[in-house]
Amino acid sequence: MKYQLEPLYCRPWTLNGISPRLIESHYENNYGAALRRLNALTAELEALDLDATSPHLFRLMKQDETNLLNSTLLHELYFASLGGDGRVLPEAIATAIERDFGSVDRWRAEFVALATALAGGSGWVLLAYVPRDGRLINLCASDHSQALAGGIPILALDMYEHAFHIEFGANATAYIAAYMRNIDWAAAQTRYEDATNVNPPRSLEQQEFKDTPSVTVEEVQAMLAAGAPIQLIDTRPRHYSAKSPDMIAGAVWRDPERVDDWIATLSKSEPVVTFCVYGFHIGCQTATTLRAAGFDARYMSGGHFAWKAINGPVKLFESTSKL
Ligand SMILES: [Fe+2]
């Protein structure tokens, strides 16, 4: 693999208060060096005799590779973040920023505060879109190795000294102000639009139970907290639940293999929520059975462990039921 150098995205001569000299030095000596080192390291890694290399050395090399790769990606984005007037945001990105930060002013204050906090140190401030959450977020990375998995940065501000000291000396504040005056929002918006076309990581799909409604553990927790009249049924298999020290507070255990024995104890006027260990099968099957019998039943996705993962309240397991 040989990484290709990306041409400068912004036109340095058009920038306001940031000179071509600064951009050229940055592009050549920092971005270029990172790309060159990345290519040299990649060649070394590809030729590496793993049998003759200590795992420790290999790990260090891979760590360097991550740093360098991130450095090239972030520098490319940095240069692509400049070249506009920084003030007027096109409608789509403005709406998205207002949606996720309350207002453009609030976003700007947060972004500048993060940059100011990095002055005197080094790192990156990023505006990123997270497909999973469908929202924008400001991020701060104190070196090249810290990136948000699944986040797609659409704007980057380089707060390493090399990005400004030639011209701004230690005056990071002036540099930040100059950067803000040069943001190319039209380009940021196109990246935002591209990012929103990236599919989020796929959620678990259970084709087998696609017609059976489900609820999340957060929803069940909120229903219980609100005192909603739900019948919460722990249908973990007996061989599993009998060994388990705990169960969801507010649930009753019922043997999933003997639904016919306990179905008559349920009320048809109140919703039923079933769950099993992880939420894959038993809870879903039981909910399907109950629905077929006319109950307003659904299964809790993620099951017992999802509940534990949100730190939902538990009690000691009670197997007092004869059902
Ligand atoms: Fe840099």
Side-chain angles (χ1 to χ4, degrees):
M1 169 78 191
K2 182 147 176 20
Y3 295 93
Q4 300 296 307
L5 192 85
E6 198 65 39
L8 257 183
Y9 188 96
C10 64
R11 292 160 174 74
W13 66 93
T14 66
L15 301 183
N16 181 6
I18 295 177
S19 74
R21 177 170 160 257
L22 181 59
I23 295 292
E24 288 158 11
S25 168
H26 196 176
Y27 182 77
E28 178 189 334
N29 298 314
N30 303 100
Y31 168 61
L35 193 96
R36 294 191 298 274
R37 284 165 57 209
L38 175 63
N39 274 328
L41 181 61
T42 304
E44 258 186 81
L45 278 164
E46 285 171 350
L48 198 67
D49 180 355
L50 279 178
D51 292 330
T53 307
S54 76
H56 177 68
L57 178 60
F58 184 54
R59 184 180 67 81
L60 289 178
M61 290 174 79
K62 289 299 287 182
Q63 216 167 358
D64 278 350
E65 181 191 40
T66 307
N67 288 347
L68 291 166
L69 188 52
N70 262 339
S71 176
T72 58
L73 291 165
L74 291 169
H75 276 111
E76 286 166 13
L77 177 61
Y78 172 76
F79 296 123
S81 294
L82 298 168
D85 82 355
R87 292 191 176 90
V88 184
L89 281 68
E91 196 184 341
I93 189 77
T95 304
I97 284 179
E98 281 160 13
R99 177 194 65 205
D100 297 332
F101 295 90
S103 68
V104 172
D105 283 348
R106 168 71 197 186
W107 168 80
R108 196 184 296 272
E110 217 180 284
F111 196 85
V112 169
L114 283 173
T116 306
L118 284 175
S122 58
W124 294 89
V125 184
L126 306 171
L127 170 62
Y129 179 77
V130 186
R132 188 196 65 174
D133 303 330
R135 69 183 295 264
L136 292 161
I137 186 169
N138 278 331
L139 298 170
C140 174
S142 57
D143 65 35
H144 304 302
S145 68
Q146 298 172 340
L148 179 72
I152 301 176
I154 61 169
L155 200 64
L157 165 55
D158 189 339
M159 284 305 296
Y160 281 74
E161 271 198 345
H162 66 235
F164 61 91
H165 74 107
I166 293 175
E167 252 171 48
F168 294 88
N171 192 351
T173 305
Y175 164 66
I176 295 166
Y179 173 89
M180 300 304 286
R181 271 208 314 279
N182 285 283
I183 293 173
D184 184 345
W185 280 111
Q189 174 165 297
T190 59
R191 284 189 293 272
Y192 168 72
E193 285 163 354
D194 290 344
T196 58
N197 286 327
V198 173
N199 287 325
R202 282 174 186 257
S203 299
L204 176 70
E205 282 177 27
Q206 304 209 80
Q207 280 303 320
E208 198 184 344
F209 301 111
K210 68 179 185 334
D211 297 327
T212 305
S214 63
V215 280
T216 65
V217 284
E218 292 89 349
E219 285 167 341
V220 172
Q221 191 175 38
M223 287 157 82
L224 289 175
I230 60 167
Q231 306 170 85
L232 187 57
I233 316 290
D234 181 342
T235 59
R236 289 175 295 167
R238 182 184 285 280
H239 69 268
Y240 189 91
S241 55
K243 287 185 292 187
S244 175
D246 55 18
M247 65 186 293
I248 295 178
V252 293
W253 181 80
R254 295 288 182 260
D255 190 341
E257 291 180 11
R258 300 173 59 202
V259 175
D260 288 346
D261 293 348
W262 51 263
I263 193 166
T265 65
L266 297 178
S267 158
K268 283 195 175 168
S269 59
E270 293 175 356
V272 181
V273 174
T274 60
F275 65 92
C276 48
V277 185
Y278 311 109
F280 286 108
H281 292 113
I282 315 282
C284 315
Q285 276 159 4
T286 312
T288 308
T289 305
L290 294 177
R291 290 186 75 76
F295 289 90
D296 173 19
R298 52 203 66 210
Y299 67 92
M300 185 173 80
S301 50
H304 177 79
F305 279 100
W307 181 267
K308 300 264 286 182
I310 62 161
N311 210 16
V314 293
K315 60 183 179 183
L316 282 175
F317 182 73
E318 297 165 2
S319 109
T320 50
S321 169
K322 292 194 172 66
L323 296 169

